[in-house]
């Protein structure tokens, strides 16, 4: 009989979004007429199509596979040079210098934020904010790691800051935040970088929603902060930036200067370790997808992506304006596609989920699925269609007026 990884016994019974899907489908089966009216503002999946520039590039990639002269087989595990260079150039446009060799192309930030645990041994002090994207917590539980939680709450605008009296080895940060929509400013991120350097720690920085930041005072990358190259890894995704939720592409930045001393006294490079990990466990993102990803960062590609982001931000404003009119306190919705609101009438988040589903057929995400501090909050996304978002908010107004 094999010895199993019994850390899986410590996971919650069901992944958050699986439970949402189960409850929603069960309601629809029992109430077919109302089920047909369900508006989904829960899972952060996009609804706008890919831009024409990306589509043309994807077709070029497909056509290349039809000729022996241009056919591509196995590609570099790190990503094609043209794609890495395009991403590096994108960072430069935003005032940040990134070596293309620090950039690793993947099938999405979700995979990499989970797989990054391969680089770290047991016994680390791991700080994870609460509320938080569940993947950070679950992948550490799967490895048997003990997690210490940073309390994000209304008093600190869901932007927890370091405690200088507490040591940490690995720190998870997400800005703009999923689920709360909160964004760290430059002063706050500088404090986190200084804390990490003082503790010889690593910041794992999830910047999947950086394209939604419109305030020039808010950093879109941890590497906009001096010293971050010595203490941070950044995860990015094209899922929300370019609508690649089904196309699948992301990238992780692991600076070459990110080095630590092993117990043997050897100096270990996290860039070299991640490269070794990818070469061993990953065969690279498809050439066709990377052809599309490359042009996302072109002038025309950025313009088309921004059109879709503007569309989603208009949805966010509709939601925010409705909640404001109803006197419901909320966070996010400005530099983020997520709106995090306090459950009305003293409800807990799962009760709020059932209440909205049963009364107005609107599906969102219960905050309890993101941690203890989310139990009285609820997340809505701006990724629906504009028409459905308007309709959902009209239902909100009738229910909570």
């Amino acid at each position: 009989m094999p010895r199993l990884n019994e850390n899986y016994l410590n996971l919650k019974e069901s992944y958050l979004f699986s439970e949402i899907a189960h409850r929603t489908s069960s309601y629809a089966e029992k109430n077919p007429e109302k089920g047909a009216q369900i508006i989904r503002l829960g899972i952060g999946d996009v609804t706008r199509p890919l831009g024409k520039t990306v589509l043309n590039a994807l077709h070029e990639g497909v056509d290349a596979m039809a000729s022996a002269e241009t056919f591509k087989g196995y590609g570099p595990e790190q990503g094609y040079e043209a794609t890495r260079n395009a991403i590096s150039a994108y960072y430069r446009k935003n005032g940040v210098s990134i070596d293309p060799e620090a950039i690793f192309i993947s099938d999405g930030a979700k995979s990499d934020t989970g797989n990054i645990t391969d680089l770290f041994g047991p016994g680390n002090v791991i700080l994870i904010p609460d509320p938080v994207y569940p993947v950070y917590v679950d992948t550490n539980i799967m490895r048997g790691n003990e997690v210490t939680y940073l309390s994000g709450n209304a008093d600190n605008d869901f932007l927890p800051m370091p405690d200088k009296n507490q040591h940490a080895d690995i720190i998870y940060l997400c800005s703009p935040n999923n689920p709360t929509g909160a964004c760290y400013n430059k002063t706050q991120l500088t404090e986190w970088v200084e804390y990490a350097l003082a503790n010889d720690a690593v910041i794992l920085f999830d910047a999947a929603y950086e394209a939604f930041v419109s305030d020039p005072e808010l950093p879109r990358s941890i590497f906009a902060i001096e010293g971050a190259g010595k203490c941070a890894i950044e995860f990015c995704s094209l899922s929300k930036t370019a609508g690649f939720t089904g196309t699948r592409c992301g990238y992780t930045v692991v600076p070459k200067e990110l080095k630590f001393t092993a117990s043997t006294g050897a100096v270990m490079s996290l860039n070299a370790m991640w490269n070794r990990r990818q070469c061993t466990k990953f065969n690279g993102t498809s050439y066709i997808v990377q052809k599309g990803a490359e042009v996302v960062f072109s002038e025309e590609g950025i313009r088309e992506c921004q059109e879709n982001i503007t569309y989603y931000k208009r949805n966010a404003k509709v939601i925010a304006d409705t909640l404001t009119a109803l006197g419901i306190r909320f966070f996010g919705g400005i530099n983020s596609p997520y709106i995090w609101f306090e459950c009305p009438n003293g409800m807990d988040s799962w009760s709020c989920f059932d209440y909205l589903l049963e009364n107005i057929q609107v599906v969102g995400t219960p905050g309890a699925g993101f941690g203890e501090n989310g139990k009285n909050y609820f997340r809505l996304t701006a990724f629906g269609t504009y028409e459905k978002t308007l309709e959902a908010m009209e239902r909100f107004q009738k229910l909570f007026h």
Side-chain angles (χ1 to χ4, degrees), residues 15-96:
Y15 184 56
L16 169 62
F17 298 109
S18 299
E19 177 62 20
I20 291 171
H22 170 72
R23 292 198 187 198
T24 304
S25 61
S26 177
Y27 173 82
E29 288 173 9
K30 294 175 183 177
N31 305 275
E33 187 174 327
K34 291 183 177 179
Q37 302 173 24
I38 291 174
I39 297 175
R40 291 172 170 81
L41 301 179
I43 296 177
D45 198 359
V46 297
T47 52
R48 302 291 293 167
L50 298 174
K52 291 182 179 179
T53 302
V54 169
L55 285 173
N56 290 337
L58 291 173
H59 282 295
E60 288 177 13
V62 171
D63 290 341
M65 296 300 187
S67 168
E69 289 72 28
T70 55
F71 175 80
K72 299 290 183 181
Y74 288 124
E77 291 90 348
Q78 304 83 359
Y80 285 97
E81 184 178 354
T83 313
R84 300 169 91 187
N85 286 339
I87 295 169
S88 178
Y90 174 71
Y91 271 97
R92 284 198 301 275
K93 290 179 182 177
N94 291 316
V96 177

Side-chain angles (χ1 to χ4, degrees), residues 214-226:
S214 54
D215 185 344
E217 298 301 313
L218 296 175
R220 296 171 63 166
S221 166
I222 189 69
F223 299 118
I225 308 302
E226 186 177 355

Side-chain angles (χ1 to χ4, degrees), residues 17 19-20 27 32 47 49 53 76 78 103 118 146 201 218 232 263 292 302-303 349 352 375 400:
F17 298 109
E19 177 62 20
I20 291 171
Y27 173 82
T47 52
T53 302
Q78 304 83 359
I103 298 168
D118 283 2
E146 185 175 340
L218 296 175
S263 60
I302 291 171
R303 185 191 65 77
S349 63
C352 186
K375 64 183 180 181
F400 294 115

Side-chain angles (χ1 to χ4, degrees), residues 83-351:
T83 313
R84 300 169 91 187
N85 286 339
I87 295 169
S88 178
Y90 174 71
Y91 271 97
R92 284 198 301 275
K93 290 179 182 177
N94 291 316
V96 177
S97 178
I98 298 292
D99 182 349
E101 292 188 2
I103 298 168
F104 296 81
I105 313 300
S106 72
D107 63 353
K110 180 179 180 179
S111 299
D112 283 1
T113 54
N115 292 332
I116 202 71
T117 57
D118 283 2
L119 302 192
F120 305 106
N124 286 302
V125 177
I126 300 170
L127 293 184
I128 298 182
D130 177 354
V132 71
Y133 182 45
V135 172
Y136 309 159
V137 176
D138 288 354
T139 52
N140 275 284
I141 290 174
M142 289 172 181
R143 290 185 65 87
N145 295 335
E146 185 175 340
V147 172
T148 300
Y149 290 99
L150 290 162
S151 180
N153 51 60
D155 292 336
N156 59 25
D157 295 323
F158 290 96
L159 294 168
M161 297 302 295
D163 178 353
K164 294 181 180 179
N165 296 315
Q166 178 185 23
H167 171 76
D169 299 299
I170 300 169
I171 304 152
Y172 285 78
L173 297 178
C174 178
S175 181
N177 185 268
N178 178 13
T180 69
C183 299
Y184 281 108
N185 61 36
K186 188 171 185 177
T187 299
Q188 290 168 323
L189 283 184
T190 297
E191 188 173 334
W192 270 115
V193 168
E194 290 174 348
Y195 172 83
L197 291 171
N199 281 268
D200 210 18
V202 178
I203 295 173
L204 303 179
F205 191 79
D206 188 342
Y209 304 95
E210 57 85 20
F212 284 81
V213 175
S214 54
D215 185 344
E217 298 301 313
L218 296 175
R220 296 171 63 166
S221 166
I222 189 69
F223 299 118
I225 308 302
E226 186 177 355
K230 296 180 179 179
C231 67
I233 293 172
E234 182 160 285
F235 307 92
C236 292
S237 169
L238 298 189
S239 288
K240 309 312 190 302
T241 299
F244 273 46
T245 52
T247 310
R248 306 307 306 144
C249 191
Y251 53 96
T252 294
V253 181
V254 188
K256 289 186 175 181
E257 59 263 45
L258 195 57
K259 299 178 180 180
F260 296 91
T261 303
S263 60
T264 62
V267 175
M268 299 184 71
S269 160
L270 267 63
N271 178 282
M273 291 172 67
W274 184 246
N275 183 64
R276 185 68 170 84
R277 188 266 173 209
Q278 294 298 82
C279 289
T280 302
K281 292 187 175 185
F282 184 60
N283 253 351
T285 305
S286 86
Y287 171 76
I288 296 168
V289 168
Q290 288 195 61
K291 283 290 288 183
E294 178 188 342
V295 300
V296 163
F297 303 100
S298 67
E299 186 174 339
E300 187 63 18
I302 291 171
R303 185 191 65 77
E304 290 174 358
C305 290
Q306 195 57 53
E307 287 179 358
N308 284 346
I309 289 169
T310 299
Y311 179 95
Y312 295 132
K313 291 181 81 168
R314 181 172 66 155
N315 289 350
K317 187 176 187 303
V318 169
I319 298 171
D321 288 348
T322 301
L323 295 177
T324 298
L326 293 171
I328 298 174
R329 182 166 65 162
F330 68 94
F331 299 81
I334 300 174
N335 295 288
S336 164
Y338 296 122
I339 295 87
W340 179 253
F341 70 84
E342 193 168 16
C343 297
N345 306 324
M347 286 185 282
D348 65 71
S349 63
W350 278 109
S351 296

